[in-house]
Amino acid sequence: MPGNKEFGERIRQLREAKKKADPKFSLRQFAAAVDVSATYLSKVETGQFAPPAAETIKKMAKLLGTDADELLALAKKTDPELGNIIREQPKAMADFLRTAREKGLTAEDIQKITEKIRQGKKP
Amino acid sequence: MKVKYMKVEDIEAAALCLLAEYGRKFGPVEKPPVPVEEILESHLGLNLGFDDLPKMLKAPDVLGATWVRDRRVLIDQSLDPSVHTVKEGRYRFTVAHEVGHWELHRHHFLDNPAQASLFETTPEPSIVCRTSSRKDPMEWQADAFSGYLLMPKEMVFSAWKERNGSLDHYVAEKEIAGLSARWGLAEDERPAVDIARRMALDFKVSGQAMQIRLIGLGLIKTEDPGPGLFSG
């Protein structure tokens, strides 16, 4: 399986920054905490192995105190939770996403709409 | 590479000093096992990884390698204890051995411009540790360092006292002869006796390494000196 250098380097960078103050982030302890072998984690970090499953990436993000979506995007994966969200309202949600894309909404536009919804202002 | 002769006392002092420095930063290490990966990764700030080293370095018996300028240590994946739990002891010994190179020998690679330029332009590691080069002085020093770091004298003495109630030595001559006969071992192969194997579990080292340390500290004697030797 082809690896992903960018993802691996990011994980290594985040882990290295944490491990200097907290030995829990040593290679083996961190690998054990996300249920993978130390060799596997090491080879993901050097880009020899492909990134792990989305669930493992989410676990990594949580421990490293970073945004799971950023890591998932680097790994070219989507949060499996998103599939569930679409399946709950398949027509409406798919329509919502497709329309956003068709209309060429930028990340900033989407962020604005999200913020409005978050503040309870239903359209 | 030629390294200067070092007295074992100086190697032991370097190992104890490192352990104390780690303790000041992350809390004192009073009981085994010595957190050797944490010393390498958190205290020294080196990067640790696993790879197929015999394949990478084209030598059949490579267990560890250090890239001094890159601050990187690789251990052969055949020793990964999260895959092969029985390799824990050998794995930890190899990590401590690479820590030994870092503490005792890194300046040879950082100060020497010829070495430095050689290694800067090639992906070759500064130090390659092979089982077949154990007699090389640099390798021997790193092995000694590893033993002192993983099994510090005071820690071994208190573990021995806890188990046996005193610091009296144990004469293992008969047990070793019995084990050798049972396993059909040659005379130069010395099997680990029961007390060494039990203490090895606490220190997370191999039974062999524990036994060598216990013999070195005079807690295990392989020959019965006999009652009249010192009195007569």
Side-chain angles (χ1 to χ4, degrees), chain B residues 77-97:
Chain B
Q77 62 194 31
S78 69
L79 296 181
D80 180 356
S82 59
V83 182
H84 317 282
T85 44
V86 293
K87 296 289 175 69
E88 174 101 36
R90 285 197 75 188
Y91 163 70
R92 286 169 45 82
F93 200 87
T94 307
V95 173
H97 174 106

Side-chain angles (χ1 to χ4, degrees), chain A residues 92-123:
Chain A
M93 202 54 85
D95 193 28
F96 180 67
L97 293 174
R98 284 205 188 95
T99 310
R101 192 168 71 168
E102 270 161 29
K103 293 289 172 191
L105 259 59
T106 63
E108 204 181 321
D109 297 334
I110 297 170
Q111 204 61 54
K112 272 186 197 157
I113 297 170
T114 309
E115 223 21 73
K116 269 189 190 165
I117 302 171
R118 192 171 283 139
Q119 286 163 10
K121 290 177 198 160
K122 279 192 186 177

Side-chain angles (χ1 to χ4, degrees), chain A residues 12-120:
Chain A
R12 175 162 142 183
Q13 213 178 49
L14 289 165
R15 194 177 62 76
E16 297 266 317
K18 289 250 174 196
K19 85 171 187 195
K20 291 202 174 137
D22 188 349
K24 272 211 307 281
F25 291 91
S26 71
L27 180 75
R28 190 144 70 112
Q29 288 194 45
F30 186 70
V34 298
D35 286 321
V36 299
S37 78
T39 298
Y40 174 79
L41 176 63
S42 175
K43 290 191 174 183
V44 166
E45 287 189 350
T46 51
Q48 294 178 70
F49 280 177
E55 283 305 327
T56 306
I57 295 176
K58 283 169 75 179
K59 241 188 263 177
M60 286 176 159
K62 197 172 173 201
L63 290 172
L64 294 167
T66 192
D67 183 26
D69 290 323
E70 181 221 324
L71 291 184
L72 286 164
L74 275 178
K76 301 187 174 55
K77 287 178 195 270
T78 44
D79 189 338
E81 198 196 336
L82 292 177
N84 296 335
I85 292 172
I86 295 169
R87 271 188 291 278
E88 277 162 21
Q89 301 188 56
K91 246 180 104 59
M93 202 54 85
D95 193 28
F96 180 67
L97 293 174
R98 284 205 188 95
T99 310
R101 192 168 71 168
E102 270 161 29
K103 293 289 172 191
L105 259 59
T106 63
E108 204 181 321
D109 297 334
I110 297 170
Q111 204 61 54
K112 272 186 197 157
I113 297 170
T114 309
E115 223 21 73
K116 269 189 190 165
I117 302 171
R118 192 171 283 139
Q119 286 163 10

